[in-house]
């Protein structure tokens, strides 16, 4: 049975790609700026996957493309962590607070 990976494993794999020794040469040279075209491309591919899913109900491609988008977020966050800017945990914390605030605002408005 193949290993089952979780989000923490994925972040560790991404970090390993950026290690000076044993990392991936392509990933090591990437910057926030150099990754911009890949972010655009992966977003476009995810949008196409939504259309394909609507037409064919093929969720495998949809899942794969969302994974590619997730990789972009985690890789950008890994680079940011290396630069001392923020970590993936900060990204998760910020979006969680934003969503939670939205939920609370909706609940307050409904009262």
């Amino acid at each position: 049975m193949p290993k089952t990976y979780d989000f923490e494993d994925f972040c560790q794999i991404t970090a390993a790609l950026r290690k000076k020794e044993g990392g991936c040469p392509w990933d090591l040279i990437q910057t926030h700026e150099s990754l911009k075209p890949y972010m655009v491309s992966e977003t476009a591919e995810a949008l196409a996957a939504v259309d394909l899913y609507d037409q064919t109900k093929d969720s495998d491609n949809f899942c794969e493309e969302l994974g590619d988008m997730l990789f972009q977020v985690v890789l950008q966050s890994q680079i940011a962590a290396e630069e001392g800017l923020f970590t993936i945990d900060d990204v998760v914390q910020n979006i969680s607070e934003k969503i939670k605030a939205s939920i609370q605002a909706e609940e307050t408005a409904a009262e």
Side-chain angles (χ1 to χ4, degrees):
M1 181 173 192
K3 177 173 174 28
T4 301
Y5 296 98
D6 62 18
F7 186 69
E8 185 176 330
D9 293 328
F10 181 65
C11 292
Q12 290 173 353
I13 292 166
T14 303
L17 291 171
R18 298 272 307 164
K19 290 196 184 277
K20 301 275 187 251
E21 291 188 26
C24 173
W26 184 87
D27 290 285
L28 281 167
I29 62 170
Q30 297 311 308
T31 65
H32 299 295
E33 190 66 29
S34 71
L35 288 171
K36 285 169 60 175
Y38 299 99
M39 293 177 74
V40 170
S41 174
E42 296 302 347
T43 301
E45 289 176 21
L47 292 172
V50 171
D51 293 340
L52 180 64
Y53 174 75
D54 285 344
Q55 296 166 3
T56 67
K57 301 305 179 210
D58 175 10
S59 62
D60 290 340
N61 178 256
F62 189 21
C63 182
E64 179 182 340
E65 295 305 335
L66 288 178
D68 290 345
M69 286 183 65
L70 180 61
F71 177 63
Q72 291 300 311
V73 172
V74 173
L75 183 56
Q76 287 278 5
S77 298
Q78 177 61 36
I79 294 168
E82 293 166 9
E83 297 172 344
L85 301 174
F86 56 84
T87 67
I88 189 65
D89 291 335
D90 296 323
V91 173
V92 170
Q93 180 69 29
N94 286 341
I95 191 61
S96 296
E97 289 174 0
K98 183 178 182 179
I99 292 169
K100 183 70 174 164
S102 176
I103 291 169
Q104 289 171 336
E106 289 179 22
E107 288 173 350
T108 301
E111 292 176 354

